[in-house]
Structures are given as C-alpha cells and as structure tokens.
Amino acid sequence: MGAGQSAGYSGASPEELSYVLAERFATKCFTPLELTHFKDNFFSRAAEQGGLRYWNEKTLSEILGIPDGSFSDADENPLDAGPVIFRMVSYLGAFPFQNIMAPSVLTFEAMVKVVVLLTERYGKVLRRGRKDRIKLLFGSLADVGKKDVRTIDASNKDEQSTAEEAGSSAVNSHAPGFSIDEPTNDDFEEDEDDDLALAALESLDAIEVFKLDHRVDRTVYETRISLDTFRRLLMLLLVIAPLKPLEPAQIYTADQSAERIEAIKKEADSILAAFSPEDIDGGISYRAFARTISTSLPYLFDPLTPLFERLLFSENLNLSQKQQREVQNEAQKDDIAEKTKDLPPPAPIMLSGSFESTILNPTLLSHMSFFLPSASPSLNLFRNGARLHPIFSTSAHGSSLTSFSHHVLTWQSASLLILQGAPEGEDEEIITIGAYLPQAWKSSSSTHGISTTQAPKALPCLFQLSPKHQVLPGNPSPTIEQKHNLPAAWFSTHSGIAIGCQIPQPSRSHQTHPSPHGAASLLIDVNLEYAELHVAPVGHDGVFLPSGNASPSDKPTKTRLDLYSLEIWGIVPDPSASASAPESGSSAVEAQRAKWEFEAREAERRRNINIKAEAGGSSQESARWLLETAGIIGDQGRPGGSV
C-alpha cells in the first residue's frame, strides 16, 4: 500500500480506486499502533498463493472467536455463524464497488475496509459519510434473488482453487455484477442511501466511476435475505451482545448448554417475526429490513464493532520471544478451549439485591440491548456501563400495591418494568412485555396515584419481546401529558398500574379508571393478577407512538394476560458517566436505603404514639393529623397506599 496520492483519480479503474481508498482508510482511520497490530494479525495468519496473501473463512473465524463452519450439519453447531460473517466480509471488502467486485478475496486491503466499515470509523475520511450502514449491511447479507453471482464456497473447502484465481490478478478478482433490471420497491429512491459510496468516491474525485457502477446498485431492492442466514447471524449477535472492546468472544461463544441454545433460538425467532409477514416467507426484503432495523432495532449490529476491533490487537506483539509466534498460531485452535476455561466471567449487568429475576436472563438482556438506549441515547444497554438494580418482584414481594409502592416510590432514577404472562385460558404461549421509564416514579398531588413525566432528552418506550418483537417509541411532544392528562406511568390503590393511559379527573360520586389512549397502553389490575396490552396502528396523541412496522390498515388489538410475574428494575448508570447527576448511579441506591431507614424509624415512632382518649380529644386529633400528613394513614383511618 504505497501508491502515491494525486489530485484526482477520474481516469482510474474501480480496482485501482478501491486500492487507493483502502490506503487512505488505513492511514486516516487507525492509529500507528493499531495499524501495526493489525498488520501483525493479518500477515502472521495469512495464506499465500501466487504471491497473494489472504484470509480464508477458517482463519477469519478463528481470530474472531466464532464457530468456523467446520460442521456440515447446522444442528451439530447451532452457533455456526462463520459462513455468514465470511459472506458479509467478502462483500464489504469490495467497497465501494461491491456491486461489480464482490465477493472480494480477503486481502489486507480488503480487510482494512471491512474493519473501518464495521467499526464505523469512516467518518474520519469520508466527507459525506453518515452513520447509516443499513443498505450496506443488507447487501452483505442478501442471498436470495441475486443473478449471475459467483460466490466463494461458504466453507472454503476448495480454497486452493480460489486462491489461484485470486493470485492471477489480485485487483481483478471479483464476481460478475447483478442484473440491471429496474428496482421493484418504488418506496425507495435509487440514490437515497448511497452516501457512503458517494462520499468515498468524492474523497478521491472519482464521481464518474461511481456513476458507471450506480446503474447496477439499484438491484439491491430485488434481493432478499434468507431466514436461515439472518437467524444464524441473530443467534451470534444475541450471544456476543455484551462483548466489550478487546474482550475475547470465546467468553460468550464457548460451552453453550442445550437450554441456552434453545433460549437463543426462541429469541431469534421473536426478532424475525418483527419483519413484515408479506416479506418473511420468501426472505426479508430491503424495505422490511431497513424499516425494522431503523425503527425498532437500532443497536442490532453494535456487537460487530468490538468483535472486529479485536483485529486491531495482536497478542504476538506482547510476546517476549518472537520465535514463539508460529508455534502459537499452529496451536491456536487447540488452545482456545483450554484458554476459555480460565477466562474471567463477564461482569454481570444485574446487581444483587432483594430478589433474583424469574424473567430476565442473558438472552433476554441481549435482546433488549438491541433497542434500549438506557441513560444515553447514543449507547445501548451494554455499551454505557449501566447496571440493573432489583426494586420489586411479585415473586419475592407479593402481589400487593402497598409493597409495590414501598419499593418503587423510594427509587429515584430511571426504571424498567417487565412482566410475563399467558393469554387467558392458554398456558403454552408465554408473552413478555416491558416498559422503559426514564424518570423516577413520583407522588401526584392531584390524584392518589403515581405518575412520571418525560425528560427532555429521554423518552419512555413500551415494548414486547415475545412471541413477536415490537417497539412502541415514546412521543417526543413535551406537552402530551399536560394536554391529555397522560402520564407515562401511574398507579392507584383503586385501579392498579397504568402505562401510557389517560387518567380521569378524580370524582367524589363514582370511582374512575384509567383508559387506553393513543397507539399503545398497558393496564395492570390492583391485585397484579392480569394485564392488558392495547396496541393501535395509528394515534399520535398518546404517550407512545405506533410501531415502525404498523400499517394504517392493521386493526387495533387487545391482549389480555394472566400475569405470572412482574418485576421493576432500577437502571444504575455508569458512575463515571453520572458524576454530575445527583440522583443517578449509586446515589439512587443510597437514597432508596435512606428512605427505607426513615420509614422504619417512622413506623417505630408511630407505635409509640398513643392516640387513645386518655390524652384528650384534642391530642387524638393532633396525633391523627400528624399521621395523615406523613401519609402513614389515609382518609378515614385507612392505611396510606394500601389496596
């Protein structure tokens, strides 16, 4: 990669431009130390044929720490995502001419572009580059409907013949392009998301070459992603979702139990069900893919960033004796299993407390990390260092709203409500529903319930995890609650818990109940025995907006569940990121404990107060007034907050 830069490359071939772009990526997007490590990783493991150094699928999978596709039967290796990752990388290595050059042989230059694209480092060199990889990722996964495409064998069984082909002309090794038929999805403009490719060629003053390639780019709308391909990728992403930079993926991919694999498959199928039913039978279309990813799975591909950043660190450079390098590489595969035995377990995201969850598990947490931003809108649940603190559970604390109030009202930070149940009369299908509430539950002066208000930069969301993934985002309108009396979350000792419901004005003549409003609402009865989820395809005047996949022709639905378990988890942000927030992080845990201690002292003081007649009527009135003011007893002597 020593080609000199020039003022423009308008007369260069696509192969030459691709090479020069890789050189620019390498020098601008990596630090000198990262580039040194990357070169060592690549060339110490590269195969060679005809003077060409390249990686095959087995090499790529080994260094990434993912199953390498060595099993022919997917049932023997259920996390066999190696061929899928290899397909993606072979496509991205041809950027920005993937339509006429993909699949690419994985040379060093190709891998440079792959790492830059999958770790989103291209913003440093592309003037118009934006962080929207949806179309690029779709093209890398599409495997249905391609025409005249020569692919590298998925398991690379015949790698020698492939290398010979590549060795004859490294820069000319590519597949024939797609057909140039017109796109079938008219909802997307042909150049609506060509920003990455256009920016790459603008940076090289090579727009004319882009125009020649652009005529075949539109056929991406004709292709589809097969369900098997996407399911295998989803299973891998669910497993490695908590992966951190420089952390070996083997921590998560090794020694998966049959029970864990079954949970991963189930969660992957729930996510697959989110794509349009009309598209799902023949594979996932670009339209369904783009819409679903952008609206309800914005962080789905985040785990690929730390996975490929691993290539920028070489253990070889930390060895005191360089001659051990070849021996280490030869024994690497056999050594992986031994190494994983001694690897430290990943830090748990769920903190210890008064109960252990009967709902949340690692797979469910991974699923939620694909769309929950937690305290930071730009980072998912794992990336921002957040932890979950147990607040309330019906399994541990019972089904009393008194207990619910005691635990939830004392938590002064964001929280996560999650429940599981089954449709009335059915025990086989388990439905999991949740709500992200960015602010603390607070007492309401106008009602006997509890309400939350929306923070300017953090919106609530209502979601369903199974059997079908669905996200109903919060309404950004700052006046939505005041206009319609619509708190994000509310509860009353007379009517139960309401999420995204309209709260009627209190009445002395009759008892009032919250009512569903807008695109989505969740109601839970006073005994915490059943729940109702109301979803409508339209409605922009509620707390929650319609799902990104909703169509105006869809009918409103009401799902009534026998409630098995309800849990509230407090979100504890990373202490280093929340030092300036007095009511977040560990301070929320400390504040809760302080309030519990205060309540205990007040309860003890109450026992010592004699409100009997021997102190006189005035003393009795004063004592009762004191207890009512403190909220210890309610109107007419009823205990405050009881059902």
Side-chain angles (χ1 to χ4, degrees):
M1 291 177 59
Q5 301 287 341
S6 64
Y9 298 90
S10 59
S13 68
E15 290 82 3
E16 292 169 329
L17 288 171
S18 180
Y19 183 88
V20 173
L21 185 65
E23 181 181 43
R24 181 169 294 185
F25 275 17
T27 56
K28 298 293 185 181
C29 299
F30 302 138
T31 66
L33 183 60
E34 286 175 335
L35 190 55
T36 299
H37 277 257
F38 191 16
K39 287 181 176 178
D40 183 80
N41 267 329
F42 183 85
F43 291 107
S44 64
R45 293 170 169 83
E48 182 175 358
Q49 183 70 34
L52 179 70
R53 305 292 296 276
Y54 67 98
W55 277 4
N56 54 35
E57 180 190 324
K58 181 179 178 182
T59 301
L60 178 68
S61 298
E62 283 182 353
I63 191 170
L64 292 178
I66 61 176
D68 62 5
S70 58
F71 294 102
S72 57
D73 186 352
D75 292 335
E76 295 182 66
N77 189 5
L79 291 182
D80 179 20
V84 178
I85 295 295
F86 186 70
R87 174 199 298 278
M88 295 178 67
V89 169
S90 299
Y91 178 90
L92 298 175
F95 178 82
F97 300 105
Q98 59 272 16
N99 297 294
I100 58 175
M101 294 176 59
S104 163
V105 174
L106 300 188
T107 62
F108 178 69
E109 290 76 18
M111 288 304 302
V112 164
K113 290 186 288 182
V114 166
V115 175
V116 168
L117 292 171
L118 290 181
T119 60
E120 296 189 283
R121 294 172 177 238
Y122 46 77
K124 297 180 180 179
V125 293
L126 303 182
R127 293 196 299 266
R128 292 183 52 200
R130 67 179 181 180
K131 294 184 178 180
D132 184 358
R133 303 173 294 171
I134 291 178
K135 183 177 179 183
L136 199 59
L137 290 170
F138 177 84
S140 71
L141 289 166
D143 52 2
V144 178
K146 290 185 177 181
K147 303 176 183 180
D148 299 322
V149 177
R150 185 187 70 226
T151 58
I152 299 176
D153 184 8
S155 59
N156 211 36
K157 301 295 184 182
D158 195 15
E159 72 177 59
Q160 182 174 354
S161 61
T162 301
E164 289 174 354
E165 248 181 55
S168 62
S169 178
V171 295
N172 286 312
S173 179
H174 62 272
F178 304 155
S179 84
I180 57 173
D181 295 338
E182 291 296 317
T184 58
N185 289 301
D186 296 333
D187 291 344
F188 294 88
E189 296 295 333
E190 64 184 53
D191 59 350
E192 67 165 346
D193 38 18
D194 294 320
D195 285 4
L196 282 178
L198 187 57
L201 295 165
E202 274 188 344
S203 69
L204 300 177
D205 297 326
I207 300 302
E208 291 302 318
V209 181
F210 173 77
K211 290 179 180 178
L212 293 175
D213 178 55
H214 179 58
R215 70 184 187 277
V216 299
D217 188 57
R218 298 182 300 176
T219 57
V220 70
Y221 303 123
E222 294 183 336
T223 60
R224 291 174 179 260
I225 303 172
S226 71
L227 298 188
D228 178 66
T229 294
F230 201 45
R231 182 182 289 107
R232 290 160 76 184
L233 178 62
L234 285 174
M235 291 178 66
L236 175 67
L237 295 176
L238 285 165
V239 169
I240 66 170
L243 187 66
K244 297 178 178 61
L246 302 184
E247 198 173 39
Q250 291 94 333
I251 292 179
Y252 303 96
T253 59
D255 299 326
Q256 295 292 337
S257 66
E259 182 181 1
R260 166 79 162 138
I261 291 297
E262 188 59 33
I264 293 169
K265 285 182 178 179
K266 181 179 178 182
E267 219 61 39
D269 286 339
S270 294
I271 296 174
L272 278 174
F275 295 88
S276 300
E278 64 270 16
D279 291 316
I280 208 71
D281 291 339
I284 301 170
S285 69
Y286 173 67
R287 178 182 179 183
F289 182 84
R291 182 178 57 216
T292 306
I293 297 299
S294 60
T295 60
S296 64
L297 292 164
Y299 309 114
L300 177 64
F301 296 103
D302 278 14
L304 295 179
T305 295
L307 182 68
F308 279 85
E309 281 182 341
R310 179 75 176 169
L311 302 182
L312 303 179
F313 172 77
S314 172
E315 294 180 356
N316 292 338
L317 297 183
N318 293 336
L319 296 177
S320 57
Q321 298 184 11
K322 299 294 184 180
Q323 61 267 28
Q324 295 179 6
R325 182 180 305 171
E326 292 185 5
V327 177
Q328 182 186 20
N329 289 337
E330 289 289 336
Q332 184 182 22
K333 184 174 180 180
D334 295 334
D335 194 42
I336 284 177
E338 188 64 30
K339 282 185 176 181
T340 53
K341 293 180 181 178
D342 302 323
L343 288 173
I349 189 174
M350 292 189 292
L351 301 174
S352 59
S354 59
F355 66 89
E356 292 186 1
S357 181
T358 60
I359 301 177
L360 297 181
N361 55 53
T363 309
L364 213 62
L365 289 169
S366 293
H367 185 167
M368 289 193 295
S369 76
F370 295 156
F371 64 92
L372 280 184
S374 185
S376 173
S378 60
L379 297 174
N380 70 36
L381 191 62
F382 288 122
R383 299 291 171 264
N384 60 16
R387 294 291 181 266
L388 299 180
H389 175 68
I391 296 178
F392 173 79
S393 167
T394 53
S395 299
H397 303 121
S399 299
S400 165
L401 282 181
T402 301
S403 179
F404 180 89
S405 174
H406 170 70
H407 290 84
V408 173
L409 280 182
T410 52
W411 179 257
Q412 297 300 305
S413 187
S415 60
L416 181 69
L417 178 150
I418 190 159
L419 61 86
Q420 277 188 339
E424 288 184 309
E426 301 178 20
D427 296 329
E428 296 182 0
E429 183 181 51
I430 300 298
I431 297 178
T432 306
I433 298 170
Y436 166 66
L437 304 170
Q439 283 192 311
W441 297 66
K442 295 180 180 179
S443 297
S444 171
S445 59
S446 61
T447 70
H448 296 291
I450 309 301
S451 68
T452 63
T453 55
Q454 298 176 8
K457 294 184 179 180
L459 296 173
C461 77
L462 187 62
F463 56 88
Q464 179 176 308
L465 298 179
S466 65
K468 176 183 178 179
H469 172 88
Q470 182 176 215
V471 174
L472 301 130
N475 193 333
S477 173
T479 62
I480 192 68
E481 178 174 347
Q482 291 74 15
K483 280 185 177 180
H484 304 284
N485 197 18
L486 289 167
W490 180 94
F491 85 81
S492 163
T493 58
H494 302 297
S495 55
I497 302 171
I499 307 294
C501 294
Q502 189 168 47
I503 310 303
Q505 294 297 326
S507 172
R508 292 181 179 271
S509 61
H510 64 279
Q511 190 169 323
T512 58
H513 294 274
S515 59
H517 188 84
S521 301
L522 178 66
L523 285 163
I524 303 171
D525 77 308
V526 293
N527 298 315
L528 307 184
E529 293 179 347
Y530 69 84
E532 284 185 357
L533 175 65
H534 296 257
V535 177
V538 294
H540 289 74
D541 60 346
V543 174
F544 303 105
L545 298 176
S547 166
N549 284 341
S551 169
S553 61
D554 295 341
K555 295 181 179 179
T557 61
K558 180 178 78 171
T559 305
R560 184 179 174 91
L561 306 177
D562 289 327
L563 193 58
Y564 294 164
S565 184
L566 168 70
E567 296 177 358
I568 307 290
W569 290 81
I571 298 177
V572 183
D574 184 351
S576 62
S578 59
S580 60
E583 289 190 337
S584 62
S586 59
S587 60
V589 180
E590 295 167 359
Q592 185 184 52
R593 290 172 181 167
K595 288 193 175 186
W596 283 350
E597 291 173 0
F598 173 77
E599 288 182 357
R601 291 195 300 269
E602 286 298 299
E604 180 65 27
R605 186 173 66 85
R606 181 179 61 181
R607 283 192 291 269
N608 295 328
I609 295 179
N610 187 349
I611 62 174
K612 303 253 180 207
E614 64 183 49
S618 60
S619 297
Q620 184 176 357
E621 292 288 334
S622 298
R624 182 175 298 281
W625 175 85
L626 177 63
L627 294 177
E628 288 179 355
T629 303
I632 297 174
I633 63 174
D635 296 338
Q636 301 177 356
R638 294 193 304 271
S642 64
V643 178

